[in-house]
Amino acid sequence: MRCFSSRVRSMRSQALRADLLMLITAMIWGSAFVAQRLGMDSIGPFLYTGLRFALACLILLPLLALLQRRSQRPAAPLNRGLLLGGVVMGLALSLGINLQQVGLLFTTVTNSGFITGLYVIVVPILGLLIGQRSSAGIWLGACLAVLGMFLLSVGEGFTVASGDWLQLAGAFVWGVHVLLVGFFASRHDPLRLALIQFVTCAVISLLLALVFETATLDGIIAAGSAILYGGLFGVAIGFTLQVVAQQHAIASHAAIILSLEAVFAAIAGALLLGEVLALRGYLGCALMFAGMLLAQLWPKPLPSELSGTIAGADAGRR
């Protein structure tokens, strides 16, 4: 029984660490919306995406080498499962991030954050299709989060612009991406998975930029600070933290916390771009935090293997 209690404490510690990492990720992603918008003042959306993901690759490569030296163990060879997982995640990431990036040309940072955050309800719905059951707390938390995002971002004069439709399509892709990360991150080295998906996204985005956009050196230099922030914080730190955190998180629960990027996007948009956050926006923020807490604190069923352990212990006492 003592071993069981230790295991439960370990699982709770891992879950809390994962939640904190995902909250930090949401903060980074929310603020990165501003960089994504400003970066396109000088260069096209595909080039901006490709350059910041290429920068993230350059940052992550020496980090991987340093960690490998410190471990003093030979690196495990790249296997088919790791490569497949990283590439599949990278394909979903490429589609989602470029829909989001192009959509930002035709909508506000606040609206983009709201509509992107709708993956909070997409994830549990998609999870049902693959046999993942979500607790009542997850569903109630998701509903509160969606209502909060509505109050946060949709004003009385809201109309569905072309950019909003692109963000909505992206929300479904982000839902798929969260599920993919949850699946592969629990089976493979998260840092190498992150690097492979970054390389995939960088290559695809740069190829799209080569076909559809015209780049100039002056434009790239002008967008340099936005590329640096987006590559270092939004990608290298943000997406890597997501992969690391989701090793120990339920996908639908992760979506609740990650959707808080909409709150931070609205705050950043108000502070840096002058996008007004009304009183109902603050109410929306509060509802989203309430949704996150409800999903976190609602009693969850123990995993089947631990349930069996408890049943066995109860039977022994009887």
Side-chain angles (χ1 to χ4, degrees):
M1 195 65 184
R2 190 174 301 166
C3 179
F4 165 73
S5 299
S6 175
R7 187 175 178 188
V8 170
R9 281 197 300 270
S10 176
M11 290 177 63
R12 286 175 177 169
S13 176
Q14 288 177 340
L16 178 60
R17 173 175 170 270
D19 288 350
L20 289 174
L21 289 177
M22 287 186 291
L23 183 59
I24 294 171
T25 300
M27 293 174 64
I28 291 171
W29 284 352
S31 62
F33 271 99
V34 173
Q36 289 177 242
R37 180 66 191 85
L38 294 176
M40 293 186 297
D41 289 342
S42 306
I43 56 177
F46 298 129
L47 181 59
Y48 174 76
T49 298
L51 289 177
R52 72 184 181 118
F53 274 88
L55 175 61
C57 294
L58 295 177
I59 294 170
L60 203 53
L61 272 172
L63 175 61
L64 277 170
L66 177 63
L67 292 175
Q68 184 58 49
R69 275 201 304 271
R70 286 190 174 182
S71 69
Q72 296 182 344
R73 289 182 298 179
L78 290 176
N79 57 62
R80 183 176 179 182
L82 176 64
L83 286 171
L84 177 64
V87 170
V88 170
M89 285 165 50
L91 289 173
L93 179 61
S94 300
L95 182 56
I97 199 70
N98 282 306
L99 282 170
Q100 182 184 86
Q101 197 67 41
V102 175
L104 274 168
L105 290 171
F106 309 105
T107 191
T108 64
V109 165
T110 305
N111 267 29
S112 180
F114 160 67
I115 299 170
T116 297
L118 287 177
Y119 67 77
V120 70
I121 204 70
V122 171
V123 169
I125 292 172
L126 293 175
L128 288 175
L129 300 178
I130 59 176
Q132 292 184 0
R133 297 179 61 185
S134 297
S135 69
I138 291 289
W139 287 106
L140 290 173
C143 290
L144 275 179
V146 170
L147 176 59
M149 285 187 288
F150 180 86
L151 292 174
L152 173 68
S153 305
V154 180
E156 294 180 3
F158 176 77
T159 56
V160 182
S162 57
D164 296 329
W165 285 116
L166 290 173
Q167 301 295 350
L168 182 60
F172 283 90
V173 179
W174 288 124
V176 173
H177 184 257
V178 169
L179 290 173
L180 288 172
V181 172
F183 179 81
F184 289 112
S186 61
R187 291 164 172 78
H188 303 289
D189 175 35
L191 288 181
R192 294 208 288 177
L193 266 179
L195 178 60
I196 294 170
Q197 76 161 347
F198 294 167
V199 171
T200 303
C201 185
V203 169
I204 291 174
S205 300
L206 290 174
L207 286 175
L208 288 172
L210 188 63
V211 173
F212 295 107
E213 297 171 358
T214 301
T216 65
L217 181 59
D218 289 341
I220 293 173
I221 293 173
S225 58
I227 294 170
L228 182 62
Y229 186 89
L232 175 58
F233 291 98
V235 181
I237 296 177
F239 279 104
T240 302
L241 284 181
Q242 179 203 8
V243 176
V244 171
Q246 278 198 246
Q247 292 179 97
H248 307 293
I250 302 168
S252 52
H253 179 58
I256 293 279
I257 299 177
L258 293 174
S259 71
L260 288 172
E261 68 176 300
V263 174
F264 298 113
I267 293 171
L271 292 176
L272 302 175
L273 298 179
E275 295 179 5
V276 178
L277 189 63
L279 178 62
R280 58 181 282 164
Y282 288 105
L283 176 59
C285 292
L287 284 175
M288 291 190 67
F289 277 109
M292 181 195 74
L293 291 174
L294 182 61
Q296 168 68 22
L297 300 176
W298 190 278
K300 302 177 183 68
L302 288 170
S304 56
E305 65 268 21
L306 294 186
S307 299
T309 302
I310 293 177
D314 289 342
R317 282 198 296 269
R318 294 193 193 99

